[in-house]
Amino acid sequence: QVRLVESGGGSVQAGGSLRLSCAASGYTGGSYCVGWFRQVSGSLREGVAAIGSDGSTTVEDAFQGRFTISRDNAEGTLYLQMNNLKPEDTAVYYCAAADTGRYCPATRETYKFWGQGTQVTVSS
């Protein structure tokens, strides 16, 4: 059973940084595609970034230059480094996993397994 647990959320002022972590278990190291999504109450869950089993990354245009996704396969951990945060980045952030290997788009329909989410609040 794949299990994903996010951590690292919190409150920060605009311009600040946070690093989210996602501890993954139930699958072998780097074999899965993993990604980050976020959701504002009342809106659809949107893709932020994804990283495939081969280490290739996708970062959605809105987050280019500010957010970086990475993974530590030995530790089974996924990260999202978020810099220069803006109030509009306030959302619940989720990590997700899919057994699609190198095929790894940041589209929610691709992913089968989801964490419970971690709240990020950015104040102006």
Side-chain angles (χ1 to χ4, degrees), residues 2 12-13 15 34 36-38 41 44 48 64 67 72-73 87 90 94 98 100 110 116-117 120-121:
V2 174
V12 65
Q13 289 193 324
V34 285
W36 287 100
F37 293 75
R38 70 182 194 180
S41 180
L44 293 174
V48 174
Q64 290 271 356
F67 291 9
D72 182 332
N73 291 335
T90 295
Y94 298 88
T100 56
T110 300
Q116 294 300 304
V120 171
T121 302

Side-chain angles (χ1 to χ4, degrees), residues 61-118:
D61 289 346
F63 312 106
Q64 290 271 356
R66 297 193 302 127
F67 291 9
T68 303
I69 188 171
S70 61
R71 68 194 294 173
D72 182 332
N73 291 335
E75 296 292 327
T77 305
L78 175 69
Y79 300 101
L80 184 68
Q81 178 66 45
M82 304 186 295
N83 298 328
N84 190 22
L85 283 161
K86 305 174 182 179
E88 52 264 41
D89 293 320
T90 295
V92 178
Y93 285 72
Y94 298 88
C95 66
D99 56 353
T100 56
R102 291 182 296 172
Y103 175 68
C104 205
T107 53
R108 64 184 183 278
E109 293 79 10
T110 300
Y111 296 80
K112 181 178 180 181
F113 305 102
W114 294 85
Q116 294 300 304
T118 186

